[in-house]
Every structure is written in structure tokens, then in C-alpha cells.
Amino acid sequence: MADGWATKRARACVSCALRLLCAVDSRWLDVSISLSMYSLVWRTFSWSLDAFDTDVSTLRDTSTWVIHGTNIMSYLGLLLLVFFPPVYIVQTIVLTLRAHPAHFVDHIFVCAQFVVAVLTTISNFSGTVDLVLVPLVSDLLLHVWQWCAVLSACVAVLALPLYITASGPRVWHMLWLPCVVCSASASDLSLVLQAQDASSLLSLGFVMWGASIISGVCFAVGHIRRSLRSFELPTLISPLSVVSQLALGIMALGVQSKRVWGGTVGPATAPLLLGELAMAAGAVLGLVLWAASAAWFVNAHVLVAWMQWSHDSSGWSISVCKVAYPVASFTMATIYVARVWSARSALVCSQFLIAYLSFVLLIVPVARAAVSTARLIRRMCKKRVTSDRRLPTYGTIQSM
């Protein structure tokens, strides 16, 4: 009998472990990316206020709890990112042994998400490295960025064959997102590198940006055409991830190019300082891409509101992580527009977007948890009332 009890306990432990393994999926990476992006938005916003006068720079005096909150979110996102790869590898092996292997395309999308999470973490922490630790951390971050660039290029090369051969609707423009984020993170990483390494890194960043712009924009437009049938906000604003990151990447590369290539003369056809030339090109191209993102951001919300009012659809059902990253990317691009063009209107828009992003990340989960708790309490109360009604009364006992 003891052996039977031990066997049942071992089976229960194995079943619980398998359930925990199955619970680890790409949503871990979504949460990690959302937390890192939210912290990065706050840091970039506080740094960009230096381009304005003292009346605006007083907004930098944020309270202590906001600073500690962003730091906690940064480390939570890093913690999820560190624990995800080994658990996901074990999960893949176990599910393969149980004859439930995941599709190859699913692994490619998870790999793309993982690269985006790593690059977002690099951008988040590269600007907060202590000067004493710069020589040690810079080499590590550079090697990690190089591996992420290789993986991003591999995912981008496989994207078109997978699009042609795979079946089922997928968010295909996300496969070009790692290359775009790689170019944007190169500008942040150049802050902690030596001049020669920073120059090479920025050159690679421009190459990654140029290699991904055509495919990223084309597939983002194709996703917009397909998403007009669903009228759901997470699906409609998903292309903002790629287009906003393209705008952010070229503007960030232009800003850092002015610092790194400030004294370098350009080619004979454009005998200007290369830093000034890259800064001007990045500012103009970034503004155009940001305008396209802003137009679709407004159109998507107007479309969802219109369909909600006229057809009583469920377009406002917000998936927190699927909405957070596109909005955070658009917010970062808006902050850089305010910084590069010294535009107060863009600064005000970025404040509104930060409030909107805070609502999505903080208020919506709390409200959903409260609603779920209220429903659970109501069900428990109903079950208790039902069970009380089924209890025998004194009269029924006497009749028995």
C-alpha cells in the first residue's frame, strides 16, 4: 500500500512538472519585452528633456517611486529573460518525447521574440552602466549584440521561404522586427564603446536598418489589409512595432552618428561632415516613418471606436502585452522626434502616450484581476447558497 501511495505521489509530481513546463511559452517573452520597454520609455523621456529649456526640464523631477518602479520592472524583465531559454529547451525536449513536437515555424517566431527581448534589455541597461564597469560590460554587451545580429539575419533570411510554405495566418512582419531592433540597439550600445568600435557598430546598424526596411514595411502593410476584417485593437496596431522601430532606429543612429562621426568627412559626392549628413538623413527619414505610424495609430483607434459604436463589436478587448510593445515603440519614436526636431508638440504627445501605456500595463491587469476575483467570489457564494438549499430540514427528517 505504501508503494502504491508513493507511485501516485510520483505521478502527481510529474504531472505538475509537465503542467508547469507547458505554462512556459512565448508570453514570458512578451512580458519581459513589455517591462523592459516601459522602463526604457521612461529613461529616454527623462534624457530627451535636456534638449528643452528649464520650464520643460522641470518635468524631469519625477518622484522616487517612479524611478524605483522602473528599476524593478527592468530587473523583472531581465529575470524572465534569463530563466526562459533553459526552461523552453527542456519543454521542447519533453514535448518532442511525448510525440507533441512544436512546428518549426513556431520555434522561429520564439527565436525572433527572444532576440527582440535580449536587444531591448541591452538598450535598457546600456545607458545605466557605471563608468567603472564600462570596460568590462561593453565587451560582453558587444558580443551579445553580435550574436543577436547573426540570429536576426538568419530569421530574416528564413522569413520569405516560411511565408511561402507555411499555412495559417501569422504575424509575418514580426520576423523582420529583430533586424530593426538590432539597428536601434546599436545606437544605444555605442554609448559604452570606444570610438573605433562604436563607428563599426553604427555602420552595421545602418546596414541592418537598410536590409529590413523594404520587407518590414511591405509585410506590415499586408498585415494591415488582413486586419481590417477583425477590427480588434491588438491586431490593428501590431504593424506599429516594425514601422515605429524603423523610425526610432534611423533617428537614433543619426543622433549617435553626429557624436561618433563628427569630424569625419563624407564621400566626394557629398563633401560634408559624415555625422551631419547622417543626422540630417536620419531626422528626415525618421520623421516620415513616424508620421506614417502616427496616422495609423489614430486610424486604428478611430476604426475600433466606430465599429464599437455602430456594430457593438468587441474591439476594445485589450491584450496587454500585444498592445504594450507597439504603443511603447511608437512612444519611443515620438520622444526621438521631440528630441531631434525640438518639437514641443511631440513632447506633449509623448506624455499622453506614456500615460496611455501606463494605463495598459498597470490599470488594465489590476482591473482584470479585480473582476476575476469578484466573479470567483460570486460563484463561491452561489455554490454555498445551493448547498444550503439542499440540506434536509427538520420536517423532512421527521417524515423520514
Side-chain angles (χ1 to χ4, degrees):
M1 184 175 181
D3 294 337
W5 180 81
T7 304
K8 291 182 179 179
R9 187 171 183 180
R11 288 180 180 177
C13 293
V14 171
S15 177
C16 182
L18 290 176
R19 289 181 181 178
L20 290 176
L21 283 176
C22 294
V24 178
D25 53 10
S26 59
R27 288 176 292 183
W28 276 39
L29 293 177
D30 290 335
V31 175
S32 175
I33 294 172
S34 300
L35 295 176
S36 299
M37 280 295 293
Y38 186 69
S39 303
L40 186 59
V41 164
W42 273 106
R43 291 196 176 101
T44 308
F45 178 73
S46 61
W47 295 338
S48 300
L49 288 174
D50 293 331
F52 297 88
D53 55 14
T54 55
D55 293 336
V56 182
S57 62
T58 54
L59 295 173
R60 286 186 290 123
D61 298 329
T62 55
S63 57
T64 306
W65 68 270
V66 174
I67 298 174
H68 290 306
T70 54
N71 290 332
I72 291 173
M73 287 187 175
S74 299
Y75 287 108
L76 283 177
L78 179 61
L79 185 65
L80 290 175
L81 181 62
V82 169
F83 278 97
F84 177 79
V87 176
Y88 185 78
I89 292 173
V90 173
Q91 179 198 49
T92 303
I93 296 173
V94 171
L95 293 180
T96 303
L97 294 176
R98 295 183 64 192
H100 294 288
H103 200 273
F104 177 72
V105 181
D106 297 331
H107 292 309
I108 296 297
F109 273 91
V110 172
C111 181
Q113 278 185 292
F114 179 73
V115 172
V116 171
V118 173
L119 293 172
T120 306
T121 304
I122 290 175
S123 299
N124 190 20
F125 285 98
S126 60
T128 60
V129 177
D130 191 25
L131 295 177
V132 180
L133 301 176
V134 165
L136 300 175
V137 177
S138 59
D139 294 335
L140 176 62
L141 294 179
L142 181 59
H143 286 299
V144 173
W145 185 91
Q146 290 172 350
W147 279 105
C148 290
V150 172
L151 289 176
S152 302
C154 293
V155 170
V157 169
L158 293 174
L160 282 176
L162 292 177
Y163 172 74
I164 294 173
T165 58
S167 60
R170 295 178 184 271
V171 189
W172 292 105
H173 62 270
M174 299 300 290
L175 294 181
W176 281 273
L177 184 62
C179 287
V180 181
V181 179
C182 197
S183 64
S185 63
S187 62
D188 296 324
L189 186 56
S190 64
L191 294 170
V192 297
L193 297 178
Q194 300 294 329
Q196 185 177 0
D197 295 334
S199 178
S200 302
L201 186 66
L202 289 178
S203 300
L204 289 175
F206 278 107
V207 170
M208 299 289 286
W209 187 88
S212 57
I213 180 172
I214 296 178
S215 301
V217 171
C218 290
F219 276 85
V221 173
H223 180 81
I224 289 175
R225 294 183 61 184
R226 292 190 300 271
S227 64
L228 291 177
R229 304 172 184 175
S230 62
F231 305 112
E232 294 181 356
L233 186 60
T235 307
L236 286 173
I237 67 172
S238 177
L240 289 179
S241 303
V242 175
V243 182
S244 298
Q245 285 289 337
L246 284 169
L248 169 64
I250 194 62
M251 285 189 289
L253 289 171
V255 170
Q256 299 304 324
S257 298
K258 184 178 180 181
R259 180 182 62 86
V260 177
W261 297 334
T264 306
V265 181
T269 55
L272 301 173
L273 292 178
L274 189 58
E276 298 290 341
L277 184 63
M279 177 71 179
V284 175
L285 291 175
L287 183 63
V288 172
L289 292 170
W290 174 83
S293 301
W296 182 242
F297 179 82
V298 175
N299 288 331
H301 284 78
V302 170
L303 179 61
V304 172
W306 177 265
M307 296 303 297
Q308 182 73 26
W309 175 72
S310 59
H311 294 83
D312 194 19
S313 63
S314 59
W316 290 115
S317 57
I318 295 179
S319 177
V320 176
C321 293
K322 292 183 179 179
V323 173
Y325 187 76
V327 174
S329 300
F330 180 58
T331 305
M332 289 283 294
T334 306
I335 293 172
Y336 262 86
V337 167
R339 177 179 177 181
V340 172
W341 291 93
S342 298
R344 293 179 179 272
S345 57
L347 183 69
V348 175
C349 291
S350 65
Q351 296 176 18
F352 166 75
L353 291 171
I354 290 174
Y356 178 41
L357 184 61
S358 302
F359 172 78
V360 171
L361 282 176
L362 303 178
I363 305 300
V364 173
V366 172
R368 287 184 175 178
V371 172
S372 301
T373 304
R375 289 178 179 176
L376 181 61
I377 294 174
R378 185 179 299 176
R379 290 177 183 175
M380 293 176 63
C381 293
K382 287 183 178 180
K383 289 182 179 179
R384 186 173 181 180
V385 170
T386 305
S387 62
D388 291 341
R389 290 177 179 176
R390 292 177 180 176
L391 291 176
T393 60
Y394 180 76
T396 56
I397 294 176
Q398 290 291 333
S399 60
M400 290 179 183

